[in-house]
Structure formats: structure tokens, C-alpha cells
Amino acid sequence: MNECYYDKRMDFFYNKTNTDTVDEWTGPKLIVVLCFGTFCCLFIFISNSLVIAAVVKNKRFHFPFYYLLANLAAADFFAGIAYVFLMFNTGPVSKTLTVNRWFLRQGLLDTSLTASLVNLLVIAVERYMSIMRMKIHSNLTKKRVTFLIISIWAIAIFMGAVPTLGWNCLCDITACSSLAPIYSRSYLVFWSILNLVVFFIMVVVYIRIYMYVQRKTNVLSSHTSGSISRRRTPVKLMKTVMTLLGAFVVCWTPGLVVLLLDGLNCTYCGIQNVKRWFLLLALMNSVMNPVIYSYKDDEMWSTMKRMICCSSEDKSQDRRSSRIPSTVLCRSTDTSGQYIEDGIIQGTICGKGDLGDKGNS
């Protein structure tokens, strides 16, 4: 029967796995990493707080998509908290931690990152269903959205707690990983592959959205004027999709690949030299999410600006933006049929009033 080491401190496991926690966290590297991490966390706290406050304050955002958007902001806010906790419990301090405190440190990170990832997947599916059904918003009721949000956090908390519940190497030192000295290598393989599969599903969903929009554009381009066709060119749609997918690929894939290599016990991959830089890169996804999903929305941006400026004027909330709304699919009331707008995040359908405004412009 294998001996278990629940009462050991982390220095025991770091020594067993030959993990260096001191040299790379001294001098200029330490200062750069901490300063960059602090700046990212401050931005995450401020920007995501504004997103949540905007959804609560503006009644125009009281729809399923924006509730999920606010939940994504909450997940990213939680990621900032998890990273702050990490900064105070890493480097040379790591070896002084108890097993339970180290589990808490990693569990917070795993929970926050999983919550963001699952929320992004739910948003992708919600957009897909809305666009395919040609609706402004999905048919999700508030109860269903609440259930989805609770489910997202339940999944995230469960994934963050799985190693603590038993999938670890405290009773089998030979199975310990290098990056996470008390995590089993098999768990790292499972966790990284699972997240990569979710990423692949998101890619498929957005590709199908783009292909559908492009097909509609090609079919209906002959029924619209040249200026409208050029203004709603599929190239703009592709740029938006590539912004979403590109940000996710850049921020997540390197870290997931490193975890997978560690789980496969790759001793010649040099993963110790890049692990914390890839962690910072993964954190950037929480920094970029408010920009990609919120600040491109004219109404969201104007709401946040009013909150920042502490303006008490509510009349401007009803004024229309001078720019083209960030919509995907619009329905025409004339014989020309449907046409495609140049955004993809919102996936809304223009009403008659919107169409009239565009026709007069």
C-alpha cells in the first residue's frame, strides 16, 4: 500500500519533482512579472466591474446575452482575485505552503479559468441559436439563464476541486507532475485535453456562424445596392471572428499545450522556463474579454462612459449611436429580403425603424 503525504509541506514535493521556485523569481524578472500582473489585475477589476454595472443599470441589457456577458465579466473578475492570491503565494513562498493552501491557490485559478471558458462556450451557442433563428435574442427565459449561470459556476467549482477530492499524487509520488507538484500527470492530461476540446467546439460554432452569414451575403448581395453590399462585406465579419478566436488561441493554447506536455512527462521540453509567462498570457484573456465583448458595443461603451464621468443625464441613453450597430443579421421589410450587417457579436435583427434610418442615411 502506497504511503500518503498529506502532512508534508510543499518543499517536500518540489524537491521530489526537482521543481525550481527560487532562481527564476528574483531580480528583474520578479519585478517585471509582478508589475505586469498587478496592472492586469487592476484593469480586470475595473473593466469587468464596469461591464457588470452597465448590464445592471441599463434596461436595454436585460436580455439573456447580456446576462451571460455579465457572468463572463464576473468570471474574469474572479480570475483577477485568483491571480492576486497567486502572486502572494508563489516563488520562494511556494515551498512554505501547506498542501491545503497550495490546493486552494491552484483551485482558484482552475475555477476562474474554467468559468471563463465555459461561459464563452455558452455565449457562442447562444449567439448561434439566435442567428440561425433570426431573432434579436434567444428564447431563453430568465429562469433558464439563471440555471445556465449556476451550472457554469458548478462546473467550474467542481473542476477546481477535482484534485482536492482525490485526483492527486499525494499517495503516489511517482505520478506527480513537474509544473504542479501535487497534481497527478493524468489529471493534467485530462484537464488540458478537455479544455482544448471545448476550444475546438467554439471554433466550429463560430465557423458555422461565419459560413451562414457569408452564404446569406452572397445570396442576397444581388438584391442590395453596391454601397450596402460593400459596407456589409464578409471580410469585416471575418475580422471580427478572427479577433475572438485569435485572442483565445494566443492566450490559452500555449499554456494548455505546456500542461499537456507536462502530463505526458516530457522531460526535454523546457516547460519550467516558460510556465509563468504562459500563465500571464492566459490571464490576458480575462483582460481582453471586456474589450472584445463589451467595448465594441456602442450602447455598452456609452453606458460605461456615463458611469465613469458620473453623469446624471439619462436622456442620452435613448439617443442612437451615429455608428452602425454591432449586429449580425437583419430582416428587411421591402422586396429585397434580408441582408447581413457587419458585426457578429450581438447577432441582433434590425427593426423597421432601424431599416428606415439606414434607408434615409
Side-chain angles (χ1 to χ4, degrees):
M1 183 176 180
N2 294 334
E3 183 181 358
C4 297
Y5 301 93
Y6 294 102
D7 58 337
K8 298 290 185 180
R9 288 190 174 271
M10 287 305 301
D11 58 343
F12 173 81
F13 299 97
Y14 279 112
N15 293 333
K16 286 287 185 180
T17 56
N18 297 320
T19 302
D20 187 6
T21 63
V22 179
D23 293 342
E24 59 184 324
W25 278 90
T26 57
K29 284 187 178 181
L30 176 63
I31 297 176
V32 171
V33 171
L34 291 180
C35 290
F36 182 75
T38 301
F39 172 79
C40 289
C41 289
L42 289 175
F43 181 83
I44 288 172
F45 292 147
I46 296 173
S47 61
N48 286 286
S49 296
L50 287 173
V51 172
I52 297 173
V55 173
V56 173
K57 180 179 180 180
N58 195 332
K59 293 183 179 180
R60 293 186 180 184
F61 297 149
H62 293 181
F63 294 99
F65 171 78
Y66 288 103
Y67 295 147
L68 294 172
L69 185 66
N71 190 56
L72 175 63
D76 292 327
F77 188 95
F78 187 79
I81 296 176
Y83 192 77
V84 169
F85 187 84
L86 172 66
M87 287 194 297
F88 285 99
N89 294 275
T90 193
V93 181
S94 297
K95 288 189 174 183
T96 66
L97 298 177
T98 63
V99 168
N100 290 333
R101 191 172 182 84
W102 196 94
F103 271 136
L104 176 62
R105 189 190 81 173
Q106 297 304 123
L108 290 175
L109 288 173
D110 294 345
T111 299
S112 62
L113 296 179
T114 302
S116 295
L117 182 61
V118 177
N119 211 114
L120 288 171
L121 175 63
V122 173
I123 288 177
V125 174
E126 191 273 344
R127 287 295 87 203
Y128 175 81
M129 294 174 61
S130 299
I131 291 171
M132 293 303 172
R133 295 176 180 177
M134 300 175 58
K135 293 181 178 292
I136 296 179
H137 298 287
S138 66
N139 292 327
L140 292 174
T141 62
K142 289 185 178 181
K143 290 183 178 180
R144 291 181 179 178
V145 173
T146 302
F147 174 77
L148 282 175
I149 293 175
I150 294 175
S151 299
I152 289 171
W153 283 102
I155 294 172
I157 293 173
F158 175 76
M159 292 302 300
V162 165
T164 309
L165 296 175
W167 201 344
N168 54 60
C169 63
L170 294 178
C171 297
D172 186 9
I173 297 297
T174 59
C176 291
S177 68
S178 175
L179 293 180
I182 57 177
Y183 274 16
S184 174
R185 288 195 299 271
S186 60
Y187 173 75
L188 290 187
V189 172
F190 163 78
W191 196 85
S192 57
I193 291 179
L194 178 64
N195 283 277
L196 288 172
V197 169
V198 174
F199 165 71
F200 175 76
I201 294 174
M202 289 181 58
V203 172
V204 172
V205 170
Y206 278 113
I207 287 178
R208 290 206 60 180
I209 291 175
Y210 170 74
M211 292 178 63
Y212 177 82
V213 172
Q214 187 181 47
R215 185 170 65 252
K216 288 295 183 180
T217 301
N218 293 336
V219 171
L220 301 171
S221 59
S222 59
H223 299 286
T224 58
S225 64
S227 60
I228 295 178
S229 296
R230 287 192 298 269
R231 190 171 61 182
R232 296 168 178 85
T233 175
V235 174
K236 294 182 179 180
L237 294 172
M238 192 61 180
K239 288 181 179 180
T240 304
V241 175
M242 292 307 297
T243 300
L244 296 172
L245 300 182
F248 191 81
V249 169
V250 171
C251 293
W252 279 83
T253 302
L256 292 176
V257 171
V258 166
L259 287 177
L260 181 59
L261 292 174
D262 186 33
L264 296 175
N265 201 23
C266 180
T267 58
Y268 302 100
C269 298
I271 55 179
Q272 292 291 339
N273 298 325
V274 297
K275 60 179 182 180
R276 288 184 175 86
W277 298 109
F278 284 169
L279 177 61
L280 288 174
L281 190 59
L283 179 70
M284 288 301 297
N285 186 239
S286 296
V287 174
M288 298 174 69
N289 281 339
V291 178
I292 298 174
Y293 284 90
S294 303
Y295 297 163
K296 281 191 172 185
D297 187 301
D298 295 336
E299 185 70 21
M300 176 71 74
W301 177 238
S302 62
T303 302
M304 288 189 291
K305 283 196 298 184
R306 287 195 296 271
M307 290 189 299
I308 294 174
C309 298
C310 299
S311 175
S312 60
E313 296 180 1
D314 294 330
K315 294 185 296 181
S316 60
Q317 182 174 348
D318 297 326
R319 296 177 183 174
R320 296 185 53 82
S321 173
S322 59
R323 298 190 308 178
I324 301 175
S326 55
T327 56
V328 174
L329 188 61
C330 297
R331 180 176 295 176
S332 173
T333 56
D334 58 17
T335 58
S336 62
Q338 302 163 345
Y339 58 83
I340 308 299
E341 289 286 350
D342 63 349
I344 197 166
I345 302 299
Q346 301 299 327
T348 57
I349 297 177
C350 298
K352 294 181 181 180
D354 295 342
L355 181 61
D357 293 341
K358 291 182 177 65
N360 296 329
S361 59

